[in-house]
Amino acid sequence: MNEIAERYRRRAAAFEDKIAAVRPEQWADPSPCARWTARDVVRHIVDMHDVMLRPLGLALSPAPSVDDDPLAAFRAARADVQAILDDPARAGQQCDTPAGRVTAERNIDQVISDDLPLHGWDLARATSQDDTIHPEDVERGWAAMGALPPGLLEKFRTPGAFAPGVEVFGPEVKVGADASPQDRLLAFIGRDPGWKA
């Protein structure tokens, strides 16, 4: 089994379950991401799946829009990315990314796969679902944050550093010394772990 492919499969399944549990009237509810509704969180995730395909000269397959059917839009995008990860030749293809030249599977693992648990928290919190992040994802996320070079961390916290309107992390939120690992991770990337709609 390919560890990266399986990690993405697990995370994408968890995110899909959260989309499926959203009630129709909740899609316009605010999320912990400033200026984003619950629907916008899913839109971002679907858009980032498309970003993962571009370095390979690919685009998302035709599918309903997030406005029309968020669940169908995500399922289609998920299938496109999983197909790359399940194909050793495509998964190992080198591509140019903002982080340098890496394999397609590494780009997917470090970007959209790592985003799924965090934005899953956003969607869960926006729609009153269980917002527990898998402990393995919390541990991996915290390790990744600790390994970021200071210059890159500063860029992540600078709105528009990667593209107009793109903000990767917000300012770090202060939490108590007794905060859980999940809350510490969320606070580090600029989320208020106590946020409520």
Side-chain angles (χ1 to χ4, degrees):
M1 286 288 186
N2 179 312
E3 181 182 349
I4 289 175
E6 290 310 305
R7 180 162 47 245
Y8 172 82
R9 194 184 317 276
R10 172 179 60 78
R11 290 167 164 179
F15 193 81
E16 184 173 315
D17 288 346
K18 287 180 175 63
I19 297 174
V22 177
R23 299 190 308 274
E25 70 274 13
Q26 292 180 306
W27 283 115
D29 288 353
S31 81
C33 297
R35 302 180 302 279
W36 281 5
T37 63
R39 188 183 303 273
D40 292 329
V41 172
V42 178
R43 187 186 326 279
H44 168 74
I45 287 292
V46 170
D47 288 347
M48 287 306 296
H49 277 68
D50 188 52
V51 169
M52 296 297 94
L53 301 181
R54 288 182 203 157
L56 302 172
L58 302 171
L60 293 177
S61 299
S65 71
V66 173
D67 287 324
D68 291 337
D69 190 337
L71 183 58
F74 177 73
R75 283 177 171 161
R78 175 187 176 188
D80 287 340
V81 167
Q82 192 71 60
I84 290 170
L85 294 175
D86 290 341
D87 179 341
R90 289 200 293 178
Q93 186 175 334
Q94 293 285 324
C95 53
D96 293 313
T97 75
R101 193 160 177 78
V102 297
T103 61
E105 68 178 358
R106 181 174 292 274
N107 189 36
I108 290 167
D109 194 42
Q110 293 178 339
V111 181
I112 191 60
S113 185
D114 278 353
D115 259 6
L116 285 168
L118 301 173
H119 285 304
W121 181 86
D122 294 327
L123 185 59
R125 188 54 68 99
T127 57
S128 302
Q129 298 184 51
D130 179 3
D131 60 20
T132 304
I133 299 174
H134 193 291
E136 179 184 322
D137 294 330
V138 172
E139 186 177 337
R140 284 182 56 83
W142 190 248
M145 297 305 111
L148 286 173
L152 185 57
L153 177 58
E154 183 179 341
K155 189 174 181 181
F156 280 177
R157 292 199 192 280
T158 304
F162 288 94
V166 172
E167 183 176 332
V168 180
F169 293 167
E172 184 171 1
V173 174
K174 299 300 179 195
V175 292
D178 60 345
S180 70
Q182 174 173 309
D183 286 356
R184 287 200 306 272
L185 174 62
L186 291 165
F188 184 84
I189 65 169
R191 300 290 196 282
D192 176 1
W195 185 93
K196 293 188 188 324

